[in-house]
Amino acid sequence: IGWTAAGAALAVAAALLVVVGPAEAGPAHTATGHRWITDDQGRALVLTGLNTASSAKSRPDGLPWIKEADVQRESDALGSGFVRFLIQWRNVEPRPGEYDDGYLAQVAERVRWYGTRGYRVMLDLHQDVYGPKVKGNGAPEWATENEGLPVAEQGQWELKYIEPGTVRAFDNFWGTRTASRDLRAHYAAAWAHVAARFADDPAVLGYDLMNEPFGGSVQGPAFEAGPLAALYRRTIAAIRKVDHDSWIFVEPEAVSANWGLPSALPYLADPRGDGPEARIAYAPHLYPLPMDLGGGYTGDAGKWVDRTLTSWREQTEKTAERLGAPVLIGEYGLDTNLPGALRYVAKVRAMADDMGAGTAYWSNDPGSWAPWDQNLKPTALLPVLDRPEPRVIAGDPVAYAWDERSRTLSVSWRPAEGVRGDTEVYLPARFFPRGGVVAGDGSAGVWNANSRTLHVASGSGGTVSVRITPRA
Ligand SMILES: CN(C)c1ccc(C(=O)NC[C@H]2N[C@H](CO)[C@@H](O)[C@@H]2O)cc1
């Protein structure tokens, strides 16, 4: 059976695992007490942005299509403050043990384009289908041991993952078939080299260790709790030797977690410390398989998507709690020509707000998935992504939610010891042409027209709750 058919069965099974119910966010609440990624003033970060860029997978230079002006355009159009920036192992380590610091200098220049505009950057060592030698992207040829086994082109790109050559390359990478070369040592060392380069870069928030991990012949809990967790532990240790403070993001196996199935990823200790000192974050992707069945987000397909969202949230929060980790949805997205697509994106953003999770939409590459077309003109997706949202919250977030009907952004938090600065909320021009008015606790707010952010000071003690509406 095709991968999608098998996947559909899995996704339906996952959806049945949960009590029937919509994925609608409940009363706007976020899980207080759960972990947050914080800035150097101790404020909770609400990370919202795009994946940049799928084009890096195939370009020989391993870089995204953008120029600096495109970063400025995104900042003006979306007010986003976060980017998941794709980089390639083939460009980091073109020959075994030899690192291309010219490539990292090119990456650093693009990081600066984002950093000077207030963005935080997560570097994603990206792979799909292992690497170019097996018709994928990511790994260098010298690290691709497919032993001459074939990889036939497929109508659906995902099916290349289960071609003989690809499975063999993954098995030899993970060392689960024979005592092959320790390619995992190279992978951890490559990350240490990247981390040493960016450890002191104020714009780099952290590192996404591997995009959508795949276990080859070993799947599910045996993979996640086995070779995947072992590689993560090895890589975390290597990074922490050169970078004490950056966040380290770990992903579950893609073919289960993307679709709302459970992850068996175990707790991963951070050498920098446990509990509040740990800086390990959980970064799953969200792609409800019923969406791929062509019905978009309408009718029965829409109902199955909602069940998948409910299952996905339940499994994600279970795994994040086990890891003691904040959640960042590293990828979500779809072809916005599908029926109901924009309603789906809005629902994912509302769910992420309700979870207190960051989001990186897939992707910024011009086209039908993106907020801009091939001529860089805004698509109907842009206003759905360009929504009022906190950027930083000066304490322990209790809840935040945007209600389009009443044009009200509600934010509540508990001021916390040692947290300095204001709560800053982003107010897009389409809803707040002249900024916002604060009702409830907190100060009247100070408007920064450049960044389109309203800065709200909060008193001490108790819970601060504010409702922000457009200034007349
Ligand atoms: C069979 N396997 C292992 C598999 C199937 C499907 C996906 C996928 O859809 N991924 C979703 C998106 N993520 C990548 C980039 O990370 C995009 O190319 C996919 O659309 C991944 C793996």
Side-chain angles (χ1 to χ4, degrees), residues 2 27 46 70 167 222-223 226 231 276 284 340 349 352 361 385-386 395 427 432-433 451 463:
V46 179
D70 297 302
V167 172
F223 168 54
L231 176 71
R349 286 293 293 275
Y361 179 84
L385 293 179
D386 181 31
L427 303 176
F432 294 83
S451 59
T463 296

PDB file of all heavy atoms in Angstrom, residues 2 27 46 70 167 222-223 226 231 276 284 340 349 352 361 385-386 395 427 432-433 451 463:
ATOM      1  N   GLY A   2       0.402   2.286  -0.587  1.00  0.00           N
ATOM      2  CA  GLY A   2       1.209   3.498  -0.622  1.00  0.00           C
ATOM      3  C   GLY A   2       1.400   4.016   0.799  1.00  0.00           C
ATOM      4  O   GLY A   2       0.587   3.731   1.672  1.00  0.00           O
ATOM      5  N   PRO A  27     -11.345  27.870  26.794  1.00  0.00           N
ATOM      6  CA  PRO A  27     -11.175  29.252  27.259  1.00  0.00           C
ATOM      7  C   PRO A  27      -9.692  29.582  27.131  1.00  0.00           C
ATOM      8  O   PRO A  27      -8.845  28.734  27.357  1.00  0.00           O
ATOM      9  CB  PRO A  27     -11.622  29.188  28.712  1.00  0.00           C
ATOM     10  CG  PRO A  27     -11.652  27.757  29.093  1.00  0.00           C
ATOM     11  CD  PRO A  27     -11.855  26.986  27.835  1.00  0.00           C
ATOM     12  N   VAL A  46       7.023  34.743  22.983  1.00  0.00           N
ATOM     13  CA  VAL A  46       6.003  34.150  22.121  1.00  0.00           C
ATOM     14  C   VAL A  46       6.569  34.219  20.706  1.00  0.00           C
ATOM     15  O   VAL A  46       6.608  35.285  20.088  1.00  0.00           O
ATOM     16  CB  VAL A  46       4.651  34.896  22.213  1.00  0.00           C
ATOM     17  CG1 VAL A  46       3.617  34.246  21.274  1.00  0.00           C
ATOM     18  CG2 VAL A  46       4.150  34.894  23.648  1.00  0.00           C
ATOM     19  N   ASP A  70      14.169  41.181   1.661  1.00  0.00           N
ATOM     20  CA  ASP A  70      13.049  40.257   1.893  1.00  0.00           C
ATOM     21  C   ASP A  70      12.781  40.083   3.393  1.00  0.00           C
ATOM     22  O   ASP A  70      11.652  39.862   3.810  1.00  0.00           O
ATOM     23  CB  ASP A  70      13.346  38.902   1.249  1.00  0.00           C
ATOM     24  CG  ASP A  70      13.493  39.003  -0.265  1.00  0.00           C
ATOM     25  OD1 ASP A  70      12.523  39.455  -0.915  1.00  0.00           O
ATOM     26  OD2 ASP A  70      14.587  38.706  -0.770  1.00  0.00           O
ATOM     27  N   VAL A 167      16.749   3.614   2.886  1.00  0.00           N
ATOM     28  CA  VAL A 167      16.697   2.880   4.162  1.00  0.00           C
ATOM     29  C   VAL A 167      18.104   2.429   4.569  1.00  0.00           C
ATOM     30  O   VAL A 167      18.501   2.563   5.727  1.00  0.00           O
ATOM     31  CB  VAL A 167      15.732   1.681   4.066  1.00  0.00           C
ATOM     32  CG1 VAL A 167      15.808   0.800   5.298  1.00  0.00           C
ATOM     33  CG2 VAL A 167      14.298   2.169   3.853  1.00  0.00           C
ATOM     34  N   ALA A 222      11.251   2.052  19.340  1.00  0.00           N
ATOM     35  CA  ALA A 222      12.603   1.457  19.277  1.00  0.00           C
ATOM     36  C   ALA A 222      13.592   2.455  18.689  1.00  0.00           C
ATOM     37  O   ALA A 222      14.751   2.538  19.114  1.00  0.00           O
ATOM     38  CB  ALA A 222      12.581   0.184  18.430  1.00  0.00           C
ATOM     39  N   PHE A 223      13.118   3.267  17.743  1.00  0.00           N
ATOM     40  CA  PHE A 223      14.000   4.283  17.137  1.00  0.00           C
ATOM     41  C   PHE A 223      14.153   5.480  18.069  1.00  0.00           C
ATOM     42  O   PHE A 223      15.255   5.907  18.410  1.00  0.00           O
ATOM     43  CB  PHE A 223      13.427   4.717  15.789  1.00  0.00           C
ATOM     44  CG  PHE A 223      14.078   5.941  15.197  1.00  0.00           C
ATOM     45  CD1 PHE A 223      15.452   5.991  15.015  1.00  0.00           C
ATOM     46  CD2 PHE A 223      13.317   7.048  14.828  1.00  0.00           C
ATOM     47  CE1 PHE A 223      16.071   7.113  14.467  1.00  0.00           C
ATOM     48  CE2 PHE A 223      13.915   8.178  14.282  1.00  0.00           C
ATOM     49  CZ  PHE A 223      15.287   8.217  14.108  1.00  0.00           C
ATOM     50  N   GLY A 226      15.837   4.704  21.256  1.00  0.00           N
ATOM     51  CA  GLY A 226      17.113   4.051  20.995  1.00  0.00           C
ATOM     52  C   GLY A 226      18.088   4.983  20.305  1.00  0.00           C
ATOM     53  O   GLY A 226      18.561   5.962  20.911  1.00  0.00           O
ATOM     54  N   LEU A 231      21.689   9.760  19.814  1.00  0.00           N
ATOM     55  CA  LEU A 231      22.330  10.826  19.023  1.00  0.00           C
ATOM     56  C   LEU A 231      22.055  12.185  19.653  1.00  0.00           C
ATOM     57  O   LEU A 231      22.949  13.042  19.755  1.00  0.00           O
ATOM     58  CB  LEU A 231      21.824  10.810  17.588  1.00  0.00           C
ATOM     59  CG  LEU A 231      22.380  11.958  16.722  1.00  0.00           C
ATOM     60  CD1 LEU A 231      23.870  11.733  16.422  1.00  0.00           C
ATOM     61  CD2 LEU A 231      21.607  12.142  15.436  1.00  0.00           C
ATOM     62  N   PRO A 276      14.606  24.579  35.843  1.00  0.00           N
ATOM     63  CA  PRO A 276      14.645  25.896  35.187  1.00  0.00           C
ATOM     64  C   PRO A 276      15.960  26.185  34.483  1.00  0.00           C
ATOM     65  O   PRO A 276      16.039  27.065  33.644  1.00  0.00           O
ATOM     66  CB  PRO A 276      14.406  26.861  36.348  1.00  0.00           C
ATOM     67  CG  PRO A 276      14.670  26.099  37.591  1.00  0.00           C
ATOM     68  CD  PRO A 276      14.388  24.659  37.286  1.00  0.00           C
ATOM     69  N   PRO A 284       8.026  19.637  17.671  1.00  0.00           N
ATOM     70  CA  PRO A 284       7.357  18.751  16.704  1.00  0.00           C
ATOM     71  C   PRO A 284       6.807  19.521  15.511  1.00  0.00           C
ATOM     72  O   PRO A 284       6.713  20.757  15.552  1.00  0.00           O
ATOM     73  CB  PRO A 284       6.206  18.166  17.540  1.00  0.00           C
ATOM     74  CG  PRO A 284       5.861  19.258  18.505  1.00  0.00           C
ATOM     75  CD  PRO A 284       7.185  19.901  18.855  1.00  0.00           C
ATOM     76  N   GLY A 340     -10.948  25.629   2.819  1.00  0.00           N
ATOM     77  CA  GLY A 340     -10.877  25.762   4.280  1.00  0.00           C
ATOM     78  C   GLY A 340      -9.471  25.996   4.801  1.00  0.00           C
ATOM     79  O   GLY A 340      -9.249  26.029   6.015  1.00  0.00           O
ATOM     80  N   ARG A 349      -3.051  28.488  14.824  1.00  0.00           N
ATOM     81  CA  ARG A 349      -2.477  29.594  15.586  1.00  0.00           C
ATOM     82  C   ARG A 349      -3.213  29.784  16.914  1.00  0.00           C
ATOM     83  O   ARG A 349      -2.604  30.022  17.950  1.00  0.00           O
ATOM     84  CB  ARG A 349      -2.548  30.885  14.756  1.00  0.00           C
ATOM     85  CG  ARG A 349      -1.547  30.940  13.632  1.00  0.00           C
ATOM     86  CD  ARG A 349      -0.110  31.015  14.160  1.00  0.00           C
ATOM     87  NE  ARG A 349       0.143  32.288  14.842  1.00  0.00           N
ATOM     88  CZ  ARG A 349       0.505  33.404  14.226  1.00  0.00           C
ATOM     89  NH1 ARG A 349       0.652  33.388  12.907  1.00  0.00           N
ATOM     90  NH2 ARG A 349       0.698  34.520  14.889  1.00  0.00           N
ATOM     91  N   ALA A 352      -2.067  27.029  19.160  1.00  0.00           N
ATOM     92  CA  ALA A 352      -0.705  27.296  19.655  1.00  0.00           C
ATOM     93  C   ALA A 352      -0.747  28.344  20.756  1.00  0.00           C
ATOM     94  O   ALA A 352      -0.086  28.216  21.793  1.00  0.00           O
ATOM     95  CB  ALA A 352       0.191  27.753  18.510  1.00  0.00           C
ATOM     96  N   TYR A 361       5.692  28.777  10.489  1.00  0.00           N
ATOM     97  CA  TYR A 361       4.864  28.325   9.348  1.00  0.00           C
ATOM     98  C   TYR A 361       5.772  27.830   8.232  1.00  0.00           C
ATOM     99  O   TYR A 361       6.819  28.404   7.924  1.00  0.00           O
ATOM    100  CB  TYR A 361       3.982  29.486   8.873  1.00  0.00           C
ATOM    101  CG  TYR A 361       3.113  29.104   7.693  1.00  0.00           C
ATOM    102  CD1 TYR A 361       1.901  28.465   7.887  1.00  0.00           C
ATOM    103  CD2 TYR A 361       3.542  29.317   6.379  1.00  0.00           C
ATOM    104  CE1 TYR A 361       1.116  28.078   6.809  1.00  0.00           C
ATOM    105  CE2 TYR A 361       2.777  28.918   5.298  1.00  0.00           C
ATOM    106  CZ  TYR A 361       1.564  28.296   5.516  1.00  0.00           C
ATOM    107  OH  TYR A 361       0.799  27.889   4.457  1.00  0.00           O
ATOM    108  N   LEU A 385      -1.753  35.153   8.987  1.00  0.00           N
ATOM    109  CA  LEU A 385      -0.521  35.025   9.787  1.00  0.00           C
ATOM    110  C   LEU A 385      -0.211  36.323  10.526  1.00  0.00           C
ATOM    111  O   LEU A 385       0.400  36.317  11.588  1.00  0.00           O
ATOM    112  CB  LEU A 385       0.658  34.652   8.879  1.00  0.00           C
ATOM    113  CG  LEU A 385       0.617  33.271   8.239  1.00  0.00           C
ATOM    114  CD1 LEU A 385       1.845  33.068   7.344  1.00  0.00           C
ATOM    115  CD2 LEU A 385       0.557  32.169   9.288  1.00  0.00           C
ATOM    116  N   ASP A 386      -0.643  37.445   9.928  1.00  0.00           N
ATOM    117  CA  ASP A 386      -0.304  38.761  10.502  1.00  0.00           C
ATOM    118  C   ASP A 386      -1.352  39.131  11.538  1.00  0.00           C
ATOM    119  O   ASP A 386      -2.244  39.933  11.301  1.00  0.00           O
ATOM    120  CB  ASP A 386      -0.271  39.803   9.383  1.00  0.00           C
ATOM    121  CG  ASP A 386       0.100  41.181   9.912  1.00  0.00           C
ATOM    122  OD1 ASP A 386       0.861  41.237  10.895  1.00  0.00           O
ATOM    123  OD2 ASP A 386      -0.407  42.180   9.366  1.00  0.00           O
ATOM    124  N   GLY A 395       6.500  38.061  32.704  1.00  0.00           N
ATOM    125  CA  GLY A 395       6.154  37.243  33.867  1.00  0.00           C
ATOM    126  C   GLY A 395       5.744  35.859  33.422  1.00  0.00           C
ATOM    127  O   GLY A 395       6.089  35.425  32.319  1.00  0.00           O
ATOM    128  N   LEU A 427       0.670  44.717  17.231  1.00  0.00           N
ATOM    129  CA  LEU A 427      -0.676  45.099  16.769  1.00  0.00           C
ATOM    130  C   LEU A 427      -0.603  45.459  15.287  1.00  0.00           C
ATOM    131  O   LEU A 427      -0.192  46.566  14.935  1.00  0.00           O
ATOM    132  CB  LEU A 427      -1.186  46.282  17.599  1.00  0.00           C
ATOM    133  CG  LEU A 427      -1.242  46.080  19.116  1.00  0.00           C
ATOM    134  CD1 LEU A 427      -1.669  47.380  19.810  1.00  0.00           C
ATOM    135  CD2 LEU A 427      -2.167  44.933  19.486  1.00  0.00           C
ATOM    136  N   PHE A 432      -5.275  47.525  13.839  1.00  0.00           N
ATOM    137  CA  PHE A 432      -4.937  48.600  14.789  1.00  0.00           C
ATOM    138  C   PHE A 432      -4.221  49.715  14.040  1.00  0.00           C
ATOM    139  O   PHE A 432      -3.042  50.002  14.285  1.00  0.00           O
ATOM    140  CB  PHE A 432      -4.034  48.052  15.903  1.00  0.00           C
ATOM    141  CG  PHE A 432      -4.688  47.031  16.809  1.00  0.00           C
ATOM    142  CD1 PHE A 432      -4.760  45.697  16.440  1.00  0.00           C
ATOM    143  CD2 PHE A 432      -5.243  47.407  18.022  1.00  0.00           C
ATOM    144  CE1 PHE A 432      -5.375  44.755  17.246  1.00  0.00           C
ATOM    145  CE2 PHE A 432      -5.848  46.470  18.859  1.00  0.00           C
ATOM    146  CZ  PHE A 432      -5.922  45.133  18.457  1.00  0.00           C
ATOM    147  N   PRO A 433      -4.912  50.365  13.089  1.00  0.00           N
ATOM    148  CA  PRO A 433      -4.232  51.380  12.260  1.00  0.00           C
ATOM    149  C   PRO A 433      -3.574  52.485  13.090  1.00  0.00           C
ATOM    150  O   PRO A 433      -2.547  53.024  12.715  1.00  0.00           O
ATOM    151  CB  PRO A 433      -5.351  51.930  11.377  1.00  0.00           C
ATOM    152  CG  PRO A 433      -6.628  51.534  12.036  1.00  0.00           C
ATOM    153  CD  PRO A 433      -6.356  50.264  12.772  1.00  0.00           C
ATOM    154  N   SER A 451       7.924  49.390  15.362  1.00  0.00           N
ATOM    155  CA  SER A 451       7.772  47.930  15.478  1.00  0.00           C
ATOM    156  C   SER A 451       6.308  47.533  15.612  1.00  0.00           C
ATOM    157  O   SER A 451       5.979  46.358  15.722  1.00  0.00           O
ATOM    158  CB  SER A 451       8.531  47.437  16.726  1.00  0.00           C
ATOM    159  OG  SER A 451       8.009  48.100  17.877  1.00  0.00           O
ATOM    160  N   THR A 463      -2.351  38.715  39.418  1.00  0.00           N
ATOM    161  CA  THR A 463      -2.354  38.458  37.975  1.00  0.00           C
ATOM    162  C   THR A 463      -2.731  39.751  37.269  1.00  0.00           C
ATOM    163  O   THR A 463      -3.682  40.426  37.654  1.00  0.00           O
ATOM    164  CB  THR A 463      -3.375  37.354  37.638  1.00  0.00           C
ATOM    165  OG1 THR A 463      -2.948  36.142  38.258  1.00  0.00           O
ATOM    166  CG2 THR A 463      -3.473  37.159  36.126  1.00  0.00           C
TER     167      THR A 463
END
